[in-house]
Structures are given as structure tokens and as C-alpha cells.
């Protein structure tokens, strides 16, 4: 049973398009993180959100934490080939992180 | 500052064998967490060590164990390997707690034949 469900599971888009990845749960999290993982490497932390309703921007990436702290979204504007990778959300509850199912993004030039 | 290193990077074992994986955290980091990543189950938490003590544990059988040394380096051991243990094993280090920020190593790819 996965605490965090991500959608879509796979996404293939053209360079320059916009996209949104969703991370949903029925559980409340004290904080939520987004990671990007490239083949042959470990995940790299992109952002941590801790407050319900919080929005953080990292260049072309916009992260939002749901008001109830149960869900989050990642929006990428004008995708680039360098954005290709596996995007993972991870929610903290208690003393553990639970990772989402992952969204594999391919940006086609 | 050097990142998290894991050795070996690739490993092939047969069913019934045991394996030990090693993780060296970033200098000064005292928390080390281990994760298993598979295509079917995604990234799942194994356990976390802090100051040589297991602080948190995921829902894995007792065949999976770990330890941490005084220099914060950590090892995990899997005994009586099963085919389903084939996975990428990732180690992550944090200053004090992974809840703030954790840095992942490149992982060890274990294949069980």
C-alpha cells in the first residue's frame, strides 16, 4: 500500500510545453519534499514545503503544498530536455519519509 | 565537500547468499538512512541510524539489518537472499534528521540470480 500516489506515472512532452505532476494522499504530512532522480544516480532534493497552502518557486518549477497538507503539485513551465527524469514526492509523518510512486518525465527536443 | 559514497556500485549474488553494502555519509552528517528502490514498489524506507543507534525502522523482514560505526559510516546486510531482493539500494545522509534535508548516494545495484 502506497501512502502517496503520483500522477501521471509517465509523461512525455515536447520541449517548451508546460506540465503538472500531482502527489496525493489521504494522510497528513508534517512536510513534503520533491526529488528528481536521473538514471544511475540517487534522488536529488528539489524543495521542501512545510506549511499548508505554501507555494515555492525554483526557476521554472513551482511547488504547492495543499491546504490540508495531504497533497502537493509540481508545475514546470517551458520544459527543457534537462528536466527529463523521475520525479518523486516524499511526505514526512512521524519520523519517517514515505515516497510516492514516481512520475517519469521525458522531454523531447 | 565529498558527497555520499556507496560501495560496491554493482553486485551479483545467488539465492541464499548474504550481502553487505557500505555507505559513507557526507563529513559531519550523523544520520544515515537506507532505502530500497524497485520498479514495482518504488522507493521504500528500510531503516535510519543516528549516532550508532537504529532510530527508525521500516516494514522489512529481519533478514535486512544494518549498523552504524562511530565515524558515521554505515553498512546494511541482507541474509538469505531472495530473487525479490534485487533492487537499487540507496543510502542517504543528513546532519541530524532526514526530515530537514537528506543527500542520497548513487546506490548499489543488487541482482539476485
Amino acid at each position: 500500500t502506497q501512502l502517496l500516489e503520483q500522477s501521471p506515472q509517465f509523461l512525455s512532452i515536447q520541449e517548451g510545453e508546460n506540465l503538472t505532476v500531482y502527489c496525493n494522499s489521504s494522510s497528513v504530512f508534517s512536510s513534503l519534499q520533491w526529488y528528481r532522480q536521473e538514471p544511475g544516480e540517487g534522488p536529488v532534493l528539489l524543495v521542501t514545503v512545510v506549511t499548508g497552502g505554501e507555494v515555492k518557486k525554483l526557476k521554472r518549477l513551482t511547488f504547492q503544498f495543499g491546504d490540508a497538507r495531504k497533497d502537493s503539485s509540481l508545475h514546470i513551465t517551458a520544459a527543457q530536455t534537462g528536466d527529463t527524469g523521475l520525479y518523486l514526492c516524499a511526505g514526512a509523518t512521524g519520523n519517517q519519509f514515505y515516497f510516492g510512486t514516481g512520475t517519469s518525465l521525458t522531454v523531447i527536443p | 565537500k565529498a558527497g555520499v559514497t556507496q560501495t560496491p556500485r554493482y553486485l551479483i549474488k545467488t539465492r541464499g547468499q548474504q550481502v553487505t553494502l557500505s555507505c559513507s555519509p557526507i563529513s559531519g552528517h550523523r544520520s544515515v538512512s537506507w532505502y530500497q528502490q524497485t520498479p514495482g514498489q518504488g522507493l521504500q524506507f528500510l531503516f535510519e541510524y543516528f549516532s550508532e543507534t537504529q532510530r527508525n525502522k521500516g516494514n522489512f523482514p529481519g533478514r535486512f539489518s544494518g549498523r552504524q560505526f562511530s565515524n558515521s559510516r554505515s553498512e546494511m546486510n541482507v541474509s538469505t537472499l531472495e530473487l525479490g531482493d534485487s533492487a537499487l539500494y540507496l543510502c542517504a545522509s543528513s546532519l541530524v534528521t532526514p526530515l530537514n534535508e537528506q543527500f542520497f548516494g548513487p546506490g548499489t545495484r543488487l541482482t539476485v540470480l
Side-chain angles (χ1 to χ4, degrees):
Chain A
T1 302
Q2 292 281 359
L3 274 185
L4 285 160
E5 296 289 337
Q6 286 184 238
S7 61
Q9 188 177 356
F10 298 96
L11 192 53
S12 181
I13 61 170
Q14 295 287 335
E15 196 170 25
E17 292 184 345
N18 302 333
L19 66 114
T20 302
V21 176
Y22 299 93
C23 173
N24 295 301
S25 176
S26 57
S27 300
V28 176
F29 296 101
S30 56
S31 67
L32 193 136
Q33 297 180 338
W34 283 92
Y35 291 82
R36 181 171 67 215
Q37 184 178 20
E38 298 185 22
E41 299 180 11
V44 175
L45 180 66
L46 296 174
V47 77
T48 301
V49 285
V50 297
T51 306
E54 183 177 0
V55 177
K56 279 193 174 179
K57 291 191 176 184
L58 183 67
K59 295 183 181 178
R60 295 176 294 101
L61 279 59
T62 302
F63 305 86
Q64 184 162 7
F65 201 12
D67 291 340
R69 289 185 287 125
K70 293 181 179 182
D71 53 79
S72 180
S73 64
L74 157 60
H75 182 79
I76 300 179
T77 302
Q80 300 176 356
T81 55
D83 296 327
T84 292
L86 178 67
Y87 288 81
L88 296 160
C89 62
T93 181
N95 294 317
Q96 279 191 35
F97 267 114
Y98 294 89
F99 278 81
T101 47
T103 294
S104 179
L105 171 65
T106 301
V107 181
I108 303 166
Chain B
K1 183 187 283 190
V4 178
T5 58
Q6 292 187 243
T7 57
R9 291 293 309 276
Y10 302 91
L11 206 48
I12 299 175
K13 293 285 188 179
T14 56
R15 279 182 301 174
Q17 288 186 310
Q18 76 165 18
V19 66
T20 299
L21 312 181
S22 180
C23 171
S24 292
I26 292 172
S27 178
H29 284 196
R30 295 167 62 190
S31 167
V32 174
S33 299
W34 287 91
Y35 295 86
Q36 181 195 65
Q37 187 174 31
T38 60
Q41 296 298 317
L43 223 157
Q44 294 187 296
F45 172 74
L46 281 156
F47 29 66
E48 184 223 351
Y49 285 86
F50 179 80
S51 291
E52 302 179 66
T53 301
Q54 187 180 88
R55 186 160 64 174
N56 288 296
K57 187 178 188 303
N59 190 27
F60 276 80
R63 299 185 298 107
F64 292 82
S65 62
R67 60 178 175 168
Q68 186 180 34
F69 302 95
S70 58
N71 62 358
S72 293
R73 190 178 70 85
S74 178
E75 290 181 346
M76 68 162 283
N77 184 78
V78 187
S79 62
T80 319
L81 284 166
E82 301 177 359
L83 295 179
D85 296 333
S86 294
L88 181 67
Y89 289 89
L90 292 160
C91 160
S93 81
S94 311
L95 268 173
V96 174
T97 170
L99 300 183
N100 293 331
E101 186 173 21
Q102 54 184 338
F103 297 85
F104 282 85
T108 294
R109 172 73 64 184
L110 172 65
T111 301
V112 182
L113 303 176

